[in-house]
Structures are given as C-alpha cells and as structure tokens.
C-alpha cells in the first residue's frame, strides 16, 4: 500500500473563496461591461491568461483592457480593485487545517494559476493568524513565476521535479475538473471539492486515497 505523504492544494476555489459574479459587478461599476463578460476563473480571457502565464505584466494587461474597451481614463488601481473582487476571503479554519496536516507529517504544497497582482492580496489573507503564506507550505508553485499554466502537464511535471514528490504518494485538490483529470493521469490521487464545501473530513480518511502497490 502506497501511503500519501504529500498534499497539493489549488489556491483559488479551494483555499481562497472566489466569487466571479462579484468580480463582474466590480468591472460593471467602473463602466467596463465588456471586461465583465470576460471574467471566468476556469477559462480566463487571453489577456488575463497571458498575465497568469507570466508573459505580460499587470500594467501591460491593464493596457490591453483599456484598448479593448477604448477607455484610457481607467487607472491600473481601479482595474486591480475590480479584479480582486474575485477574491472573497480565506477562512481561518483553512489555515488551521494546513497547520494540522503539517503537524501530522504531511508535506503541503500549493499549485496555482495566479498573477503578480492577485497573489499579493492572497498573501495578505494568509497573515490572518500572524504567519505568512510561506509558513503554511513546503513549496508554492505559481503559474506566472513558472511561465506555465494548468491544465498543461508541464506545470505539474515541473512541480514534481522541483519538489521531488512522487505523484503516487501525493493527493491533489483542485476545483477544476480538467485540472484534476490531468493530475490523475500523472499518477496523483485526486479530490475535487464542490463550491463552498468543507472538505476537511477527507483528511480523516486518507486510506481512501492510498494505492495498492
């Protein structure tokens, strides 16, 4: 029986609560209805995908948005505010869950499609109990830093290489079906939480994710 030693969490939609409708409403409040229609956490518009891939900066993405809607008056700070409406919050129970899992001996990782603007807000959320985001993870793998995106196999393979983890000894949690499917193909045990689900009970039954030799 292959025991689970590593747990890999997606951030948005798993650890951090998301609300795409709130984000869309933020852009509409700025009069950017065309941008609001582009908001989809699972299938980001090209300009957002380029930022999450690390190909363009946040400012360059803002320039693309301004050009798209022909609104040169919209400031970067306003776009940042509207986009970050996507990030609802981080329940402290999730932080304590991460702490508990590490105390139980699991190595904990994050693998996230993210961008340099949103990750700063996420890092602030992780400070709720007086720690930093780095205190909760043995490794944090972000798309814009790796220049790779889920669900591409390459970002999983690079995480495996950098961390030294064995997928057969690892549980992967993500709220995207396609991301979970790719992880499964690579040998991970997987779990896809539903929106708003308290998934903490699964860690009391880790034997369900362990594999026969």
């Amino acid at each position: 029986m292959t025991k689970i030693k590593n747990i890999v969490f997606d951030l948005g939609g798993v650890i951090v609560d998301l609300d795409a409708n709130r984000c869309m409403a933020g852009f509409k409040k700025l009069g950017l209805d065309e941008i609001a229609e582009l908001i989809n956490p699972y299938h980001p518009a090209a300009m957002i995908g380029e930022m999450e891939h690390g190909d363009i900066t946040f400012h360059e993405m803002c320039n693309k948005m301004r050009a798209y809607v022909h609104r040169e008056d919209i400031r970067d700070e306003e776009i940042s505010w509207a986009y970050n409406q996507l990030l609802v919050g981080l329940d402290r129970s999730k932080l304590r869950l991460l702490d508990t899992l590490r105390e139980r001996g699991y190595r904990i990782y994050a693998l996230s499609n993210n961008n340099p603007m949103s990750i700063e807000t996420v890092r602030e959320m992780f400070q709720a109990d007086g720690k930093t985001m780095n205190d909760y993870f043995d490794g944090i793998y972000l798309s814009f830093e790796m220049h790779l995106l889920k669900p591409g196999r390459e970002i999983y393979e690079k995480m495996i290489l950098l961390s030294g983890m064995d997928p057969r000894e690892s549980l992967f949690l993500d709220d995207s079906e396609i991301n979970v499917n790719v992880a499964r193909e690579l040998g991970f045990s997987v779990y896809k939480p539903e929106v708003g689900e308290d998934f903490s009970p699964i860690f009391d039954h880790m034997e369900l994710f362990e594999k026969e030799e």
Side-chain angles (χ1 to χ4, degrees):
M1 185 71 71
T2 302
K3 298 285 187 180
I4 297 296
K5 298 178 180 178
N6 314 293
I7 306 174
V8 183
F9 290 91
D10 179 30
L11 291 177
V14 176
I15 300 297
V16 178
D17 295 326
L18 303 180
D19 189 338
N21 290 329
R22 197 175 85 147
C23 181
M24 293 169 67
F27 279 107
K28 288 179 179 179
K29 187 172 183 178
L30 296 177
L32 304 178
D33 291 38
E34 301 97 325
I35 299 298
E37 296 305 315
L38 300 178
I39 299 302
N40 185 325
Y42 302 105
H43 304 285
M47 65 185 77
I48 297 172
E50 289 176 46
M51 177 178 64
E52 291 189 341
H53 195 272
D55 296 332
I56 61 174
T57 65
F58 171 67
H59 176 66
E60 289 170 330
M61 188 208 66
C62 290
N63 284 339
K64 285 177 178 276
M65 285 190 173
R66 282 186 280 265
Y68 185 77
V69 297
H70 308 290
R71 288 281 306 276
E72 294 301 320
D73 60 303
I74 300 296
R75 295 176 291 113
D76 287 11
E77 292 78 10
E78 293 175 295
I79 293 174
S80 175
W81 170 81
Y83 193 77
N84 275 337
Q85 294 303 299
L86 180 65
L87 307 172
V88 177
L90 197 171
D91 194 295
R92 288 189 181 187
S93 65
K94 299 277 183 70
L95 299 179
R96 288 157 193 172
L97 173 63
L98 296 176
D99 272 339
T100 298
L101 291 172
R102 294 190 85 189
E103 289 168 3
R104 287 171 57 182
Y106 295 107
R107 294 182 64 80
I108 306 300
Y109 300 91
L111 179 66
S112 175
N113 285 352
N114 222 300
N115 64 77
M117 177 262 302
S118 294
I119 197 61
E120 292 310 311
T121 300
V122 171
R123 287 188 182 279
E124 290 174 7
M125 292 177 177
F126 269 90
Q127 296 174 12
D129 272 349
K131 299 183 180 181
T132 70
M133 185 175 173
N134 288 5
D135 292 326
Y136 292 97
F137 297 100
D138 293 283
I140 301 171
Y141 302 98
L142 305 173
S143 61
F144 73 95
E145 294 178 342
M146 301 170 78
H147 299 284
L148 296 167
L149 282 170
K150 293 182 291 185
R153 291 171 64 98
E154 295 84 358
I155 192 168
Y156 300 84
E157 291 168 344
K158 189 167 184 179
M159 175 186 68
I160 292 166
L161 178 65
L162 293 174
S163 66
M165 73 173 65
D166 183 342
R168 296 170 299 176
E169 300 174 341
S170 307
L171 173 63
F172 177 83
L173 290 87
D174 198 293
D175 63 329
S176 164
E177 189 72 37
I178 188 170
N179 292 349
V180 164
N181 288 341
V182 172
R184 184 185 290 112
E185 291 170 4
L186 289 168
F188 288 85
S189 296
V190 300
Y191 188 79
K192 179 183 175 297
E194 298 301 323
V195 176
E197 176 186 351
D198 174 12
F199 52 82
S200 58
I202 70 169
F203 300 110
D204 295 326
H205 305 281
M206 291 295 280
E207 70 276 3
L208 297 175
F209 302 104
E210 294 168 356
K211 300 178 180 178
E212 297 292 341
E213 297 287 357

Short mmCIF file of all heavy atoms in Angstrom, two decimals, residues 13-14 17-18 94 193-199:
data_model
loop_
_atom_site.label_atom_id
_atom_site.label_comp_id
_atom_site.label_asym_id
_atom_site.label_seq_id
_atom_site.Cartn_x
_atom_site.Cartn_y
_atom_site.Cartn_z
N GLY A 13 -10.58 28.93 -5.05
CA GLY A 13 -11.66 27.96 -5.15
C GLY A 13 -11.49 26.77 -4.24
O GLY A 13 -12.42 25.98 -4.08
N VAL A 14 -10.32 26.63 -3.62
CA VAL A 14 -10.07 25.54 -2.67
C VAL A 14 -9.69 26.13 -1.31
O VAL A 14 -10.38 25.92 -0.32
CB VAL A 14 -8.99 24.58 -3.19
CG1 VAL A 14 -8.68 23.51 -2.14
CG2 VAL A 14 -9.43 23.92 -4.49
N ASP A 17 -11.70 31.53 -1.12
CA ASP A 17 -13.03 31.55 -1.72
C ASP A 17 -13.09 32.57 -2.86
O ASP A 17 -12.56 33.69 -2.73
CB ASP A 17 -14.09 31.90 -0.67
CG ASP A 17 -14.21 30.83 0.40
OD1 ASP A 17 -14.02 29.65 0.07
OD2 ASP A 17 -14.47 31.20 1.56
N LEU A 18 -13.76 32.18 -3.96
CA LEU A 18 -13.88 33.04 -5.14
C LEU A 18 -15.34 33.38 -5.40
O LEU A 18 -16.24 32.61 -5.04
CB LEU A 18 -13.31 32.33 -6.38
CG LEU A 18 -11.86 31.86 -6.34
CD1 LEU A 18 -11.50 31.21 -7.67
CD2 LEU A 18 -10.91 33.01 -6.03
N LYS A 94 -9.23 27.11 7.35
CA LYS A 94 -8.36 26.52 6.32
C LYS A 94 -6.90 26.64 6.74
O LYS A 94 -6.10 25.73 6.53
CB LYS A 94 -8.58 27.25 4.99
CG LYS A 94 -10.00 27.18 4.44
CD LYS A 94 -10.23 25.91 3.69
CE LYS A 94 -11.62 25.88 3.07
NZ LYS A 94 -11.80 26.84 1.96
N PRO A 193 -13.16 19.44 -4.62
CA PRO A 193 -14.17 19.98 -3.71
C PRO A 193 -15.26 20.72 -4.48
O PRO A 193 -15.00 21.36 -5.51
CB PRO A 193 -13.37 20.97 -2.84
CG PRO A 193 -11.94 20.66 -3.07
CD PRO A 193 -11.86 20.11 -4.46
N GLU A 194 -16.48 20.62 -3.98
CA GLU A 194 -17.56 21.41 -4.54
C GLU A 194 -17.48 22.83 -3.99
O GLU A 194 -16.80 23.08 -2.99
CB GLU A 194 -18.91 20.79 -4.17
CG GLU A 194 -19.11 19.38 -4.72
CD GLU A 194 -19.02 19.33 -6.24
OE1 GLU A 194 -19.49 20.28 -6.89
OE2 GLU A 194 -18.46 18.34 -6.76
N VAL A 195 -18.15 23.76 -4.63
CA VAL A 195 -18.13 25.16 -4.20
C VAL A 195 -18.66 25.27 -2.77
O VAL A 195 -19.74 24.77 -2.45
CB VAL A 195 -18.99 26.04 -5.14
CG1 VAL A 195 -19.04 27.48 -4.60
CG2 VAL A 195 -18.43 26.02 -6.55
N GLY A 196 -17.86 25.87 -1.90
CA GLY A 196 -18.27 26.08 -0.52
C GLY A 196 -18.20 24.85 0.37
O GLY A 196 -18.57 24.91 1.55
N GLU A 197 -17.68 23.74 -0.16
CA GLU A 197 -17.62 22.50 0.62
C GLU A 197 -16.59 22.58 1.75
O GLU A 197 -15.49 23.10 1.56
CB GLU A 197 -17.27 21.34 -0.31
CG GLU A 197 -17.09 20.01 0.42
CD GLU A 197 -16.59 18.90 -0.51
OE1 GLU A 197 -16.54 19.10 -1.73
OE2 GLU A 197 -16.23 17.83 0.02
N ASP A 198 -16.95 22.06 2.90
CA ASP A 198 -15.98 21.82 3.97
C ASP A 198 -15.37 20.44 3.68
O ASP A 198 -15.96 19.41 3.99
CB ASP A 198 -16.65 21.82 5.33
CG ASP A 198 -15.70 21.42 6.45
OD1 ASP A 198 -14.47 21.37 6.19
OD2 ASP A 198 -16.18 21.13 7.56
N PHE A 199 -14.20 20.46 3.07
CA PHE A 199 -13.58 19.20 2.65
C PHE A 199 -12.63 18.64 3.71
O PHE A 199 -11.99 17.61 3.49
CB PHE A 199 -12.83 19.36 1.33
CG PHE A 199 -11.85 20.51 1.31
CD1 PHE A 199 -10.59 20.37 1.86
CD2 PHE A 199 -12.20 21.72 0.74
CE1 PHE A 199 -9.68 21.42 1.85
CE2 PHE A 199 -11.30 22.78 0.72
CZ PHE A 199 -10.04 22.63 1.27
#
